[in-house]
Amino acid sequence: MSDQTATQAAPLAFASTEELVYACRQTLLDNSRSGGFTVPTSRLYPFQWLWDSGFIAIGLATFDLERAMREIEALHSAQWKNGFVPHIVFHMLNDGYYPGPDVHRADLSQYAPAHVATTGMTQPPVIGFVLEKLYESASDKAALLPFLKTHFEKTFQFHCYLYQNRDPKNEGLVYIQHNWESGTDNSPVWDEVWRTFEAPNCELPRRDILHANADHRPTHRDYEYYIYLIEIFKSVCYDDAAIAEKSPFLVQDPLFNAMLAASNESLARIGEIIGAPKTRIRQLKKWHRATKNAMNRKLWSPSTGGYLHYDLRNERLIDTLTSSSFAPLFAGIPTAAKAKRLLKTMLGTKFRGKRQSNFLCPSFNVQDERFNPVKYWRGPVWVNMNWLIFNGLQRYGFLDAAQIVKKDTLDLVMHYGLWEYFNPSRAQTKTETDGYGAPRFSWTAALVLDFLKD
Ligand code: 2M8
């Protein structure tokens, strides 16, 4: 039996594409909360997350643009006075998640809002390109202009915050200060950073392992590092200059910077549409060029065939391929030659596997001994990464490869359902019927809707 027929022979989670679309919409509606935002999933992540909301807005825009706009408004209602946009907005109390606002204590910062609790860290800056997607999906484009003007400016201020506070050498590359800012939280990349310092042991009232299989989640030791970094931030009241000086974790992440570059490009185009000041548009184009050049100069590894993470604290490139290595395609970062090389890496044995045994795109190099097909960000397929890669491949004209990524994504959700993430192994579809992490996951549902919208 061929790999493809094996996928089709197993029982499917949905009987038809229509049923899948219905389930996607229903998942987003069920995960929506009063206040106009959508939780990633009801139990494991009961608040609003930054990049989740961006992807969710893209999915909502396929059937209810008003809701998509509310999603962005709810996120930006928690923007800090210095332009910073936090990674979680704790719109309401819920003790089902750790660490909550009492651990983060973002209120220690002079810039945090008084009316709502948030974290003091951020996430990949996707909102710029999300705004452009909403504009593209609007049938009455003129009616969207006031919304676009407001959120163009808020997003521009966020980018100012990033370039002013997270780029100490003025290179055009911003750093992340915590693995949770990467979005790819438990990637083996972070193991290499944990090796460079010690975090003290501590008690951790974890809640995630009540809602998801502990073997698939980060370890206790991993969480000790996560919490230790937060303790450092609090000790300096979230002062960016002090964090840049003191904290052992400063990393230039290819995914984060690619999202920033893509958002710069989109904002520059939106700026033209809304008649923004020329200085704003020039600045966005300048940022885009600077980030693009710096990524090609500093993060590209010719020997590995992908973009890598740079440990700015210890001044070294982390020689570890992940699905973030392909994200620069989305922002038009690689030259044609580098893009071809990326394609070769992705379709080769390190990701697609020998005899194409994997669904694209595993989040980690499957030949690396740290690869784990079922552990959070250490190997499984994530629909948000596939969506970024699909659009990146299309941008470079790699249409056949883009179709493979799309088909693999849809085959996975048709087989397993709308899970948080998936085992990349094709062979597993013969025996397994469940995906991993949380079921009825919002960004999975949202981006499947975008994949299917045409
Ligand atoms: C996961 O991260 C959170 C912390 O931010 C967690 O594990 O508690 C990641 O997959 C992250 O990328 C995502 O935004 C978040 C909510 O879906 O969950």
Side-chain angles (χ1 to χ4, degrees):
M1 196 174 3
S2 79
D3 293 333
Q4 298 294 323
T5 48
T7 312
Q8 280 148 19
L12 296 177
F14 306 102
S16 63
T17 309
E18 289 69 31
E19 207 180 276
L20 171 62
V21 167
Y22 177 81
C24 289
R25 290 182 180 183
Q26 207 48 49
T27 296
L28 291 179
L29 297 178
D30 290 349
N31 287 344
S32 77
R33 296 290 177 268
S34 66
F37 68 96
T38 310
V39 297
T41 185
S42 62
R43 280 150 52 89
L44 187 58
Y45 309 124
F47 304 107
Q48 182 174 28
W49 260 259
L50 192 168
W51 78 325
D52 296 68
S53 277
F55 295 126
I56 288 164
I58 289 172
L60 287 173
T62 64
F63 67 102
D64 189 340
L65 186 58
E66 279 291 323
R67 266 180 195 273
M69 291 157 68
R70 299 294 86 82
E71 189 74 35
I72 304 299
E73 284 167 1
L75 177 72
H76 279 161
S77 73
Q79 184 168 29
W80 289 20
K81 292 189 226 22
N82 60 350
F84 175 86
V85 180
H87 106 292
I88 305 177
V89 187
F90 300 107
H91 287 287
M92 68 297 201
L93 295 176
N94 187 321
D95 60 7
Y97 183 81
Y98 172 84
D102 50 328
V103 177
H104 284 279
R105 289 295 317 274
D107 57 303
L108 290 169
S109 165
Q110 57 173 320
Y111 301 113
H115 65 282
V116 64
T118 73
T119 58
M121 62 182 82
T122 189
Q123 261 191 335
V126 297
I127 302 303
F129 69 77
V130 170
L131 291 177
E132 193 176 26
K133 290 284 292 177
L134 300 199
Y135 181 72
E136 283 165 7
S137 69
S139 44
D140 182 355
K141 298 204 185 303
L144 202 71
L145 292 184
F147 167 87
L148 271 189
K149 277 188 185 157
T150 304
H151 295 280
F152 166 90
E153 187 55 26
K154 287 179 182 289
T155 313
F156 182 84
Q157 292 306 331
F158 180 35
H159 291 202
C160 280
Y161 160 83
L162 290 170
Y163 285 105
Q164 281 166 11
N165 295 286
R166 302 294 191 92
D167 183 11
K169 295 184 179 169
N170 204 12
E171 316 175 81
L173 279 182
V174 303
Y175 68 71
I176 56 169
Q177 62 193 26
H178 196 287
N179 58 302
W180 279 338
E181 293 200 321
S182 71
T184 61
D185 301 7
N186 195 26
S187 165
V189 168
W190 313 126
D191 302 357
E192 311 232 0
V193 183
W194 308 144
R195 222 173 276 144
T196 64
F197 64 98
E198 274 298 319
N201 297 122
C202 63
E203 294 282 319
L204 298 162
R206 301 259 305 261
R207 301 282 195 276
D208 56 321
I209 48 182
L210 305 177
H211 307 307
N213 185 332
D215 291 342
H216 305 157
R217 295 285 304 172
T219 63
H220 181 92
R221 186 70 190 131
D222 290 326
Y223 261 78
E224 285 176 339
Y225 277 96
Y226 307 170
I227 298 302
Y228 176 55
L229 289 175
I230 295 174
E231 293 305 326
I232 294 176
F233 305 156
K234 288 193 290 194
S235 72
V236 296
C237 297
Y238 286 94
D239 178 74
D240 282 299
I243 292 169
E245 199 190 317
K246 280 192 178 170
S247 178
F249 186 116
L250 303 182
V251 175
Q252 291 165 325
D253 179 309
L255 170 62
F256 194 100
N257 279 282
M259 298 299 92
L260 180 59
S263 284
N264 282 331
E265 275 186 313
S266 289
L267 285 182
R269 286 190 289 264
I270 293 172
E272 302 283 0
I273 295 166
I274 62 172
K278 290 275 170 284
T279 47
R280 289 264 188 282
I281 299 171
R282 268 203 300 275
Q283 180 63 72
L284 287 159
K285 289 183 177 167
K286 201 170 151 200
W287 280 334
H288 178 71
R289 271 195 310 277
T291 301
K292 175 175 176 162
N293 293 341
M295 288 186 76
N296 283 320
R297 198 180 57 245
K298 198 170 175 188
L299 305 188
W300 172 254
S301 164
S303 55
T304 318
Y307 291 87
L308 303 178
H309 295 72
Y310 189 85
D311 177 346
L312 191 60
R313 174 58 73 223
N314 299 293
E315 296 288 5
R316 73 179 193 106
L317 207 52
I318 300 175
D319 192 10
T320 296
L321 277 174
T322 64
S323 53
S324 298
S325 303
F326 308 118
L329 290 164
F330 185 82
I333 304 288
T335 57
K338 286 192 176 82
K340 254 188 167 160
R341 184 73 201 284
L342 280 174
L343 183 67
K344 200 166 159 215
T345 306
M346 186 173 21
L347 296 181
T349 50
K350 289 188 176 132
F351 286 86
R352 211 172 179 205
K354 289 193 184 124
R355 290 182 298 282
Q356 305 173 1
S357 53
N358 294 316
F359 289 98
L360 284 175
C361 178
S363 43
F364 193 59
N365 174 0
V366 302
Q367 291 183 333
D368 189 302
E369 57 184 13
R370 295 165 295 175
F371 168 77
N372 183 331
V374 299
K375 200 164 165 124
Y376 174 81
W377 290 110
R378 297 178 84 88
V381 175
W382 293 75
V383 170
N384 63 332
M385 293 306 298
N386 273 14
W387 184 87
L388 292 170
I389 292 168
F390 165 79
N391 282 289
L393 292 168
Q394 282 217 318
R395 179 172 185 160
Y396 279 83
F398 299 138
L399 303 184
D400 292 345
Q403 282 315 308
I404 294 171
V405 174
K406 178 172 175 176
K407 181 173 185 327
D408 282 1
T409 310
L410 295 176
D411 281 355
L412 281 166
V413 298
M414 280 303 275
H415 178 79
Y416 293 113
L418 301 172
W419 288 83
E420 184 179 6
Y421 59 85
F422 302 90
N423 188 327
S425 162
R426 287 187 185 278
Q428 292 304 315
T429 56
K430 292 179 194 159
T431 51
E432 286 187 5
T433 51
D434 284 343
Y436 288 86
R440 309 195 79 227
F441 201 72
S442 294
W443 79 34
T444 305
L447 296 175
V448 165
L449 287 174
D450 193 67
F451 270 123
L452 291 174
K453 74 176 184 305
D454 302 324

